[in-house]
């Protein structure tokens, strides 16, 4: 907890972890939006099944959820009750915001959740790992290893699982949020990991304003990130599409939308 408190203080002292969503100092164009969409949607941060090994850098097919996303929230035994209340309220409100941005059914739900948000401390790791095995009995060793051996430099993570025979349609996801983070960094983890688990899988240093950028400038979902989600969940973009197949559709959607950057 002390380690992450020092990180947050350092980031804030440098004007990072912004919560304003972007403004006049962070303009972007439709060209930027298209470029960032392709980078963030069609590429992976890590190699699938390769633990923390970087991805090959090759584009894959578009991935997203087709059915409703029901986010279940679980806390480790060590997480204080007042923090549980705060985090549950944060995640519930954010799920509603994601649903509005994507125009897709996304909610916090205790009934048959398929997107599991685990708020766990290091003291809760064994408990969290046991829950993951219950939720995904056939989880492969490399993916399990991601949760088991999270280095301190990994602030939080999410893994999304696709259905059998359909590698581009998500049917389940697990996000791990470190309970030791101070409040703003916990919120930042919630914003990034829950959005990434919807299909915005990669980061790009060129994306600004965006939380899908390793520079920590923004703590909360930005205006551009909301546009990325809205594009991704357009019914015209289908799971498995390649960048070449999606590009003309995205250009048309950008041309048709009312308002926004030009």
């Amino acid at each position: 907890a002390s380690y992450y408190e020092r990180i947050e203080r350092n980031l804030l002292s440098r004007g990072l972890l912004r919560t304003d969503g972007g403004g006049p100092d962070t303009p972007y164009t439709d060209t930027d939006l298209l470029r960032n969409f392709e980078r963030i949607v069609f590429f992976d941060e890590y190699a699938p099944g390769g633990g923390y090994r970087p991805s090959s850098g090759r584009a894959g097919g578009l991935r997203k959820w087709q059915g409703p996303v029901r986010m279940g929230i679980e806390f480790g035994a060590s997480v204080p009750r007042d923090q549980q209340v705060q985090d549950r309220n944060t995640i519930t409100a954010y799920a509603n915001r994601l649903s509005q941005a994507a125009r897709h059914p996304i909610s916090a739900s205790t009934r048959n959740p398929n997107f599991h948000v685990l708020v766990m401390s290091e003291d809760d790791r064994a408990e969290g790992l046991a829950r993951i095995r219950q939720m995904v009995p056939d989880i492969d060793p490399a993916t399990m290893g991601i949760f088991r051996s999270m280095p301190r430099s990994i602030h939080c993570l999410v893994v999304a699982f696709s259905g059998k025979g359909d590698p581009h349609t998500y049917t389940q996801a697990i996000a791990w949020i470190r309970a030791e983070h101070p409040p703003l960094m916990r919120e930042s983890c919630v914003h990034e990991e829950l959005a990434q688990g919807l299909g915005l899988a990669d980061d790009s240093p060129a994306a600004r304003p965006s939380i899908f950028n390793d520079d920590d400038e923004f703590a909360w979902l930005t205006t551009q990130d909301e546009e990325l989600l809205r594009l991704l969940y357009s019914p015209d973009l289908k799971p498995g599409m390649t960048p070449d197949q999606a590009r003309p559709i995205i250009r048309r959607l950008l041309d048709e939308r009312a308002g926004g950057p030009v």
Side-chain angles (χ1 to χ4, degrees), residues 107-145:
S107 62
S109 176
T110 58
R111 299 183 61 182
N112 194 27
N114 50 17
F115 194 128
H116 307 276
V117 184
L118 307 182
V119 183
M120 302 276 171
S121 73
E122 282 301 312
D123 291 339
D124 303 318
R125 186 164 299 280
E127 175 189 351
L129 294 175
R131 280 293 293 130
I132 291 169
R133 291 191 193 95
Q134 290 175 346
M135 292 182 287
V136 189
D138 59 348
I139 189 169
D140 64 89
T143 303
M144 195 67 194

Side-chain angles (χ1 to χ4, degrees), residues 24-42:
D25 64 317
T26 57
Y28 61 95
T29 66
D30 284 358
T31 300
D32 297 327
L33 195 58
L34 175 59
R35 178 201 63 215
N36 294 333
F37 183 92
E38 290 192 7
R39 179 71 242 179
I40 292 168
V41 168
F42 292 101

Side-chain angles (χ1 to χ4, degrees), residues 11-255:
L11 293 171
L12 289 171
S13 72
R14 294 188 283 130
L16 304 177
L17 294 180
R18 291 170 55 175
T19 59
D20 58 5
D25 64 317
T26 57
Y28 61 95
T29 66
D30 284 358
T31 300
D32 297 327
L33 195 58
L34 175 59
R35 178 201 63 215
N36 294 333
F37 183 92
E38 290 192 7
R39 179 71 242 179
I40 292 168
V41 168
F42 292 101
F43 293 82
D44 286 300
E45 192 171 0
Y46 300 106
Y52 291 108
R53 180 163 48 87
S55 71
S56 66
R58 291 191 295 269
L62 183 146
R63 293 153 296 181
K64 64 179 180 179
W65 297 71
Q66 291 287 76
V69 181
R70 300 177 298 276
M71 293 182 171
I73 309 163
E74 298 185 35
F75 297 94
S78 75
V79 182
R81 185 67 55 183
D82 58 342
Q83 181 178 325
Q84 292 187 28
V85 172
Q86 179 185 28
D87 290 354
R88 189 177 299 278
N89 290 340
T90 294
I91 294 165
T92 299
Y94 185 56
N96 292 334
R97 180 179 174 188
L98 290 172
S99 182
Q100 292 171 3
R103 296 174 180 168
H104 185 82
I106 303 168
S107 62
S109 176
T110 58
R111 299 183 61 182
N112 194 27
N114 50 17
F115 194 128
H116 307 276
V117 184
L118 307 182
V119 183
M120 302 276 171
S121 73
E122 282 301 312
D123 291 339
D124 303 318
R125 186 164 299 280
E127 175 189 351
L129 294 175
R131 280 293 293 130
I132 291 169
R133 291 191 193 95
Q134 290 175 346
M135 292 182 287
V136 189
D138 59 348
I139 189 169
D140 64 89
T143 303
M144 195 67 194
I146 290 175
F147 293 102
R148 181 182 296 109
S149 59
M150 284 174 66
R152 201 163 59 161
S153 59
I154 300 295
H155 293 180
C156 40
L157 63 86
V158 67
V159 176
F161 301 88
S162 56
K164 291 181 179 179
D166 186 358
H168 299 107
T169 298
Y170 290 146
T171 57
Q172 193 172 18
I174 300 173
W176 186 293
I177 308 298
R178 289 189 186 272
E180 296 93 343
H181 284 310
L184 181 56
M185 282 185 63
R186 281 205 315 282
E187 285 192 62
S188 177
C189 274
V190 165
H191 276 236
E192 181 171 6
E193 302 308 326
L194 271 54
Q196 285 201 313
L198 296 177
L200 299 173
D202 202 4
D203 290 321
S204 170
R208 185 175 186 257
S210 179
I211 57 173
F212 305 110
N213 186 318
D214 285 333
D215 64 6
D216 291 314
E217 181 179 11
F218 290 89
W220 293 355
L221 200 74
T222 69
T223 53
Q224 180 174 201
D225 297 333
E226 290 184 330
E227 291 209 68
L228 293 173
L229 268 176
R230 189 159 298 166
L231 287 170
L232 176 61
Y233 278 86
S234 166
D236 295 340
L237 290 176
K238 309 296 184 185
M241 278 187 168
T242 66
D244 288 343
Q245 291 171 323
R247 196 173 297 120
I249 298 172
I250 297 168
R251 287 200 182 103
R252 174 175 56 77
L253 291 171
L254 290 174
D255 289 342

